Amino acid sequence: MESPHLIFLKSVVNNKPASREKLRDALHRLDHMLTDLTNDLRVTYGGPYVGLNHTPRQHQICVAEQQWSLQERGWGVAICTSHPVHGWRAEWRLATVSRERLPLVVNALPALFAGYAAAVDASSAASRPSTRRIHEIAELFAH
């Protein structure tokens, strides 16, 4: 049986209305799940852009070892500045983006999972159980 927060997020991707509070809670749970999976896989991936109208390519969803603060560093998914000078600098976690960017992040989830599954397949981590889980999530969002 699939995780309720993933089913909820898929329904929102498919245009089912949802409150911002429930959406942020589901993204927070997804973030925790992805932290565990990406820490096991350790495959870097620059995913879909989620910039706002006037700067559509300024931010993208990235999987990498993130520097969250001076004290906190670890693998995970973040909305990163995609400026060539800064590389992928983590700006926000999935659930903490602005209300304007929130629908962009949710609608980018299918592309994020499809692309990350392909990146993991091309890596040395392709045979790990976490890879199978990423593929299950990608399949859920693909249909």
Side-chain angles (χ1 to χ4, degrees), residues 12-93:
V12 175
V13 167
N14 290 329
N15 298 318
K16 182 176 179 188
S19 71
R20 271 190 295 225
E21 181 181 283
K22 286 185 178 184
L23 193 52
R24 289 186 191 281
D25 180 62
L27 287 170
H28 181 72
R29 292 171 190 273
L30 176 62
D31 184 57
H32 281 291
M33 175 188 284
L34 291 176
T35 296
D36 291 341
L37 292 170
T38 59
N39 187 52
D40 179 52
L41 295 169
R42 296 180 183 248
V43 174
T44 302
Y45 172 66
Y49 288 96
V50 289
L52 298 177
N53 291 337
H54 57 286
T55 54
R57 296 178 69 87
Q58 185 175 2
H59 292 96
Q60 72 185 120
I61 303 175
C62 299
V63 178
E65 187 174 14
Q66 310 290 353
Q67 183 74 43
W68 296 108
S69 68
L70 290 174
Q71 299 81 19
E72 186 182 3
R73 182 177 187 85
W75 278 88
V77 178
I79 311 307
C80 296
T81 300
S82 58
H83 192 278
V85 174
H86 301 293
W88 288 339
R89 186 182 68 212
E91 297 281 335
W92 306 282
R93 295 183 188 270

Side-chain angles (χ1 to χ4, degrees), residues 2-3 5-7 9-11 13-14 30 33-34 37 41 45 48 63 106-121 129-143:
E2 192 53 77
S3 300
H5 65 278
L6 291 177
I7 294 169
L9 288 169
K10 179 185 167 47
S11 72
V13 167
N14 290 329
L30 176 62
M33 175 188 284
L34 291 176
L37 292 170
L41 295 169
Y45 172 66
V63 178
V106 171
N107 289 329
L109 291 176
L112 170 68
F113 289 116
Y116 190 55
V120 172
D121 284 345
S130 296
T131 300
R132 185 178 70 245
R133 182 64 179 133
I134 291 294
H135 276 281
E136 290 169 359
I137 297 170
E139 183 69 22
L140 173 72
F141 278 94
H143 300 290

